Amino acid sequence: MAIINIVLLSPFRLFKKKDEAVELKRDIDARSLLRNGTNSLTVSDALRLMQHIESERIKSLASNLSPIKESVIKSLGSIERVVNNLDREDIKLEEARFKPIVENSKRTVVSSLRREASSDLPLLQSIHEVKRFKEKLESIIDRFGEVSGSHNRVMNVFMKKYAGKLKGEFETLSSLLKETKSLTSEFEEENSVIVKSIDLLNILSQKITSIKANEDKIENTCREIETLKYELDELKNQLSSLENSTQFKEFHRNLEQIDAVEKEKQEFHRNITDLYSHVSRAFTKYSYGMTKDTLGRLRVLTEEPWKIFDDAEASSYTSLLVEIQKAVKSGKIKLKDSERTIHYMEIILKSLPDHKHKIKSINVILNALHENKNGLVVNKSKELKDDIRICSNRLGDLEQSLDQLKKQLTENNSECEGLVMKIEDCILQITGKRYSLAT
């Protein structure tokens, strides 16, 4: 009977295999770029190439640091063994009074050094882990230095055998740290050009995306401008046709007639006001002690005398004028030029029928002209003019926006040219080969 082995893959392992496959493909693609004779790279190709070179350099750095890490582990192991032996050692003292000091120092040294010696060191699979390894090694040596410095005299006097061994291991670790710093500094110096080129490539990629979006906006704006220009021409043609129509011309003639009659009406008002101004002093004198209603009528006679012909109570104004005339004639109202005032009062009273007829005639004509206005034509003309104004404003805004977009596009293209030159120089410095970057 056949036995079937079923292997369950955890999701973590599955994703890890996928990531490894992607990384492997990237490395293969990057290596092929270095091998083939092409002198042109796309932005994505250049990024892939820089990332591959950086990855290879990190692997090389990790490979160089690996024996150092092994030596560090070995040295920490030796320190731990020394510390364990020290912990077990029963230190003989000639004078009992030193025992508390020695025992305290011993406990502190053993505790601190054992903790540092058993530290877990980071892996060396990424630049971040390499930095952590260097920082951890620095921390360990600093801590060893603090402990040995604080208990230096006690160690050299009462634990001299262990002090010598620990000093040797400390010197070994210091030498290993110095070597680590040298390798990482050398890597960072060489890798700075790659980091710079990757940063520049990312900026360039963003600029290219921005340029593409900018070009799309320009294209859409141009289309919208053309559409608006067509709509504006159509609106202007419609307005021109309307203004050249018989109805619109009749409407304008009507407006001219209304304007002429309105001017005639205003002239009539001025003449009436001038005529009544000759008796204004009589109106003022008569107003003393009068009722509110009478005062209101006197105000109309003084300020807007033409309104007495529109009032349903026109007869009350006539009676009031007659009363004022009588008051002047009888001397009840005393004026320096009473004869002149009486003369103008007679003119006013005699002209009332003619003036009433005149204002009525003007109002009849105006009402007829206003009724004859074509409201549809007027509304359509106003609507078209409003649409033309809105369309023109929108067109102006779009043209201004288009100019700004073109300016931005020119600036972005110029910046891209500068970035391309810098990146090509970086790639030449890194690979020793002059590549042309295609954007």
Side-chain angles (χ1 to χ4, degrees):
M1 184 176 179
I3 298 175
I4 300 175
N5 290 322
I6 300 176
V7 179
L8 296 175
L9 292 176
S10 71
F12 177 78
R13 182 61 185 163
L14 181 63
F15 288 134
K16 187 175 180 182
K17 284 190 174 182
K18 285 184 178 179
D19 293 340
E20 289 172 351
V22 171
E23 184 68 29
L24 180 61
K25 183 180 184 303
R26 185 185 295 122
D27 289 348
I28 292 171
D29 290 343
R31 284 195 292 271
S32 67
L33 287 171
L34 289 169
R35 282 197 304 269
N36 64 30
T38 182
N39 290 322
S40 179
L41 292 174
T42 64
V43 174
S44 58
D45 285 341
L47 267 172
R48 193 161 58 247
L49 180 61
M50 293 301 98
Q51 289 165 352
H52 168 74
I53 293 173
E54 183 179 45
S55 176
E56 290 299 312
R57 288 186 176 182
I58 291 171
K59 288 177 183 177
S60 175
L61 175 63
S63 177
N64 291 332
L65 288 174
S66 185
I68 293 176
K69 180 181 176 180
E70 291 301 321
S71 296
V72 170
I73 293 171
K74 182 179 178 182
S75 182
L76 290 176
S78 297
I79 290 172
E80 189 171 19
R81 285 192 294 275
V82 171
V83 168
N84 290 336
N85 290 336
L86 174 61
D87 190 25
R88 289 191 292 270
E89 176 81 19
D90 184 16
I91 299 172
K92 303 260 192 275
L93 299 171
E94 294 179 1
E95 297 185 42
R97 62 191 178 92
F98 291 121
K99 186 171 183 179
I101 297 173
V102 173
E103 289 296 327
N104 182 59
S105 291
K106 176 183 170 183
R107 279 194 302 272
T108 303
V109 168
V110 168
S111 173
S112 298
L113 297 188
R114 181 178 285 158
R115 183 171 56 252
E116 295 300 326
S118 60
S119 298
D120 290 330
L121 297 175
L123 299 173
L124 300 173
Q125 295 177 352
S126 67
I127 190 62
H128 176 67
E129 290 175 338
V130 167
K131 288 179 179 178
R132 281 183 55 216
F133 170 72
K134 184 185 75 170
E135 290 167 358
K136 185 63 180 177
L137 187 53
E138 286 176 335
S139 174
I140 290 171
I141 291 173
D142 288 344
R143 184 58 183 153
F144 284 170
E146 290 173 7
V147 173
S148 61
S150 301
H151 304 276
N152 183 49
R153 290 188 62 186
V154 176
M155 289 285 294
N156 286 326
V157 173
F158 299 102
M159 296 170 266
K160 194 172 183 179
K161 177 177 66 173
Y162 299 101
K165 292 180 180 178
L166 290 172
K167 182 182 178 183
E169 295 300 335
F170 294 166
E171 289 174 351
T172 299
L173 288 174
S174 296
S175 176
L176 292 171
L177 175 60
K178 185 177 180 181
E179 196 173 347
T180 299
K181 285 182 175 180
S182 175
L183 288 171
T184 54
S185 295
E186 184 181 350
F187 168 83
E188 286 169 358
E189 184 178 349
E190 292 177 353
N191 198 56
S192 63
V193 184
I194 295 179
V195 172
K196 179 183 176 182
S197 66
I198 290 174
D199 289 342
L200 291 174
L201 282 164
N202 285 326
I203 294 171
L204 179 61
S205 180
Q206 292 170 2
K207 287 287 181 186
I208 292 171
T209 301
S210 177
I211 286 172
K212 180 64 176 66
N214 202 292
E215 288 173 341
D216 291 341
K217 285 181 182 178
I218 288 174
E219 186 178 347
N220 292 333
T221 303
C222 286
R223 277 201 299 266
E224 192 172 351
I225 286 174
E226 290 304 313
T227 302
L228 278 173
K229 283 182 177 179
Y230 175 79
E231 290 177 0
L232 187 58
D233 289 340
E234 286 293 305
L235 289 169
K236 288 180 177 178
N237 290 335
Q238 289 179 38
L239 182 61
S240 177
S241 298
L242 180 65
E243 290 179 343
N244 289 322
S245 68
T246 304
Q247 288 177 319
F248 193 80
K249 288 177 180 177
E250 287 177 356
F251 165 73
H252 263 284
R253 280 196 298 272
N254 205 16
L255 283 182
E256 290 171 359
Q257 289 174 346
I258 290 172
D259 187 55
V261 175
E262 286 287 353
K263 286 179 180 178
E264 182 184 355
K265 185 177 181 179
Q266 289 170 8
E267 182 64 24
F268 174 71
H269 287 175
R270 281 193 296 271
N271 293 335
I272 291 287
T273 303
D274 288 343
L275 177 60
Y276 281 62
S277 67
H278 292 297
V279 295
S280 61
R281 289 180 64 197
F283 294 157
T284 303
K285 293 261 187 170
Y286 187 80
S287 67
Y288 300 150
M290 290 296 160
T291 64
K292 187 176 180 181
D293 288 343
T294 301
L295 289 173
R297 290 190 182 93
L298 288 169
R299 186 193 60 76
V300 172
L301 288 170
T302 303
E303 299 176 5
E304 302 170 301
W306 62 86
K307 284 190 175 182
I308 69 175
F309 305 109
D310 298 332
D311 200 310
E313 299 179 0
S315 60
S316 64
Y317 286 101
T318 304
S319 299
L320 182 58
L321 287 168
V322 171
E323 286 297 324
I324 295 170
Q325 185 189 40
K326 285 179 180 179
V328 175
K329 282 183 177 182
S330 65
K332 190 176 180 180
I333 295 176
K334 296 187 180 301
L335 298 168
K336 288 182 180 180
D337 54 352
S338 58
E339 290 298 325
R340 183 172 176 273
T341 301
I342 292 169
H343 170 69
Y344 276 107
M345 287 295 298
E346 288 176 352
I347 292 173
I348 289 171
L349 287 168
K350 286 179 181 179
S351 65
L352 287 176
D354 291 339
H355 288 164
K356 184 175 183 179
H357 175 75
K358 178 72 172 177
I359 196 66
K360 183 177 180 181
S361 175
I362 290 173
N363 288 333
V364 168
I365 294 170
L366 282 175
N367 290 336
L369 289 171
H370 281 295
E371 287 177 1
N372 196 37
K373 284 197 303 186
N374 190 330
L376 292 175
V377 172
V378 177
N379 291 337
K380 184 62 178 176
S381 173
K382 184 177 181 302
E383 181 184 328
L384 286 170
K385 287 178 180 177
D386 286 344
D387 290 344
I388 287 171
R389 176 180 53 78
I390 293 169
C391 193
S392 296
N393 290 342
R394 175 60 180 159
L395 187 60
D397 291 342
L398 283 174
E399 287 174 340
Q400 186 177 355
S401 176
L402 181 62
D403 289 341
Q404 188 63 32
L405 287 170
K406 287 180 177 178
K407 183 181 177 182
Q408 289 175 359
L409 183 63
T410 302
E411 291 174 355
N412 283 336
N413 280 326
S414 177
E415 289 174 5
C416 278
E417 289 174 6
L419 286 169
V420 167
M421 291 177 63
K422 290 179 181 178
I423 293 167
E424 287 175 350
D425 289 342
C426 285
I427 295 175
L428 174 62
Q429 187 177 346
I430 294 164
T431 65
K433 182 177 179 181
R434 170 64 70 179
Y435 285 97
S436 173
L437 196 62
T439 58

